Amino acid sequence: MSYEVTVLTMFPEAFPGPLGVSLIGTSWKESGLWSLETLDIRTFSSDKRGFLDDTPAGGGPGQVLKADVIAKALDSLELSDRPKVYMSARGKPLTQAKVKEWAAAPGLIVLCGRFEGVDQRVLDARGFEEISVGDAVLAGGEAAAMVTIEAVVRLIPGVLGASESLETESFEDGLLEHPQYTRPRTFEGLDIPEVLLSGDHKKMAVWKQQQREATTKDRRPDLWDAWLSKSQAKGSPKPQ
């Protein structure tokens, strides 16, 4: 069975976007390793004009997507124990650990918000998990949904082909990935590090690990502190 993804959105025309290209798109359209369904939540409005939002209770700017409309849209689906995710700027950060958890499920259901968001009652009643893709506010959840879906489906066996390429990626072991190089050997006066051309696999492995540690320490001190604590708990020597 393929991995089933359903997106609840006001703008189904936004999809597939980048999900339809390269290996991700091929594994969907040609290999059938995963499937993508978009559900237009506007069609579930009981209002003759198709309205699916109303003013916030307690006052405030903007509009809020109505609980009953979202519930009708979700209840029309075969859920199949798929995790339910609501893309939200106030949600928990998307992590590689969470992505791996979802990739092991039968599929994923993603709700894209708009305006000021979604009535909290339907999120609570239907068990949605609020997830953010970064500390920034978007106009809607569609772009964030694509980021989340791509992160998940690329982990499905067979989608990317070479599974070993996933093992040293950023976040897999708590560190960011080392810098990458390829030909030409010299570019605008900058050379590929000699160690990568030495043929000495042990030296190359040491260099890559050192680069991963240095990059993580510089760019993501939060990840560095967590990785350092975990390494020391295991009795590993402290990095220099």
Side-chain angles (χ1 to χ4, degrees):
M1 294 180 62
S2 66
Y3 190 88
E4 298 181 352
V5 178
T6 301
V7 181
L8 281 64
T9 173
M10 290 177 61
F11 301 101
E13 63 271 20
F15 294 85
L19 299 173
V21 301
S22 191
L23 294 176
I24 300 291
T26 299
S27 65
W28 165 36
K29 298 176 181 178
E30 298 180 18
S31 303
L33 295 177
W34 69 286
S35 63
L36 176 64
E37 173 190 19
T38 54
L39 194 63
D40 187 348
I41 56 180
R42 290 174 295 188
T43 62
F44 294 88
S45 172
S46 58
D47 187 281
K48 293 181 179 180
R49 297 161 293 179
F51 290 169
L52 68 167
D53 56 286
D54 209 332
T55 55
Q63 298 287 102
V64 176
L65 293 179
K66 299 174 66 175
D68 56 341
V69 177
I70 302 301
K72 287 178 183 178
L74 182 65
D75 293 347
S76 73
L77 299 174
E78 182 66 44
L79 302 182
S80 304
D81 294 323
R82 290 181 289 170
K84 296 178 286 293
V85 181
Y86 168 52
M87 308 314 305
S88 167
R90 71 173 199 172
K92 295 179 180 179
L94 180 68
T95 65
Q96 192 66 13
K98 180 58 69 174
V99 164
K100 292 174 73 173
E101 176 187 323
W102 291 336
L108 193 66
I109 296 173
V110 184
L111 171 61
C112 301
R114 280 276 158 176
F115 314 125
E116 296 303 312
V118 174
D119 189 312
Q120 185 66 40
R121 292 172 296 176
V122 72
L123 300 178
D124 295 339
R126 294 298 188 272
F128 278 95
E129 185 170 1
E130 295 188 51
I131 294 292
S132 168
V133 297
D135 293 341
V137 179
L138 304 176
E142 285 73 21
M146 292 179 196
V147 169
T148 300
I149 294 167
E150 179 168 324
V152 173
V153 299
R154 68 187 294 276
L155 297 183
I156 297 172
V159 171
L160 293 189
S163 60
E164 62 270 16
S165 66
L166 300 174
E167 297 174 0
T168 58
E169 290 184 326
S170 296
F171 311 114
E172 281 301 316
D173 61 358
L175 295 175
L176 300 180
E177 191 173 8
H178 58 79
Q180 301 283 359
Y181 301 87
T182 189
R183 290 184 289 270
R185 182 165 182 163
T186 300
F187 168 71
E188 295 186 353
L190 301 174
D191 294 329
I192 295 175
E194 284 296 326
V195 65
L196 298 180
L197 305 173
S198 67
D200 189 323
H201 294 284
K202 184 175 181 179
K203 288 183 178 179
M204 286 189 284
V206 170
W207 180 88
K208 290 178 181 179
Q209 180 66 15
Q210 290 174 339
Q211 291 295 311
R212 298 185 73 207
E213 292 174 4
T215 301
T216 305
K217 185 177 182 180
D218 176 60
R219 300 181 183 180
R220 290 292 302 273
D222 57 326
L223 294 179
W224 172 252
D225 289 343
W227 181 84
L228 198 59
S229 297
K230 185 177 180 180
S231 297
Q232 292 175 346
K234 291 182 178 180
S236 301
K238 184 176 181 180
Q240 300 297 317

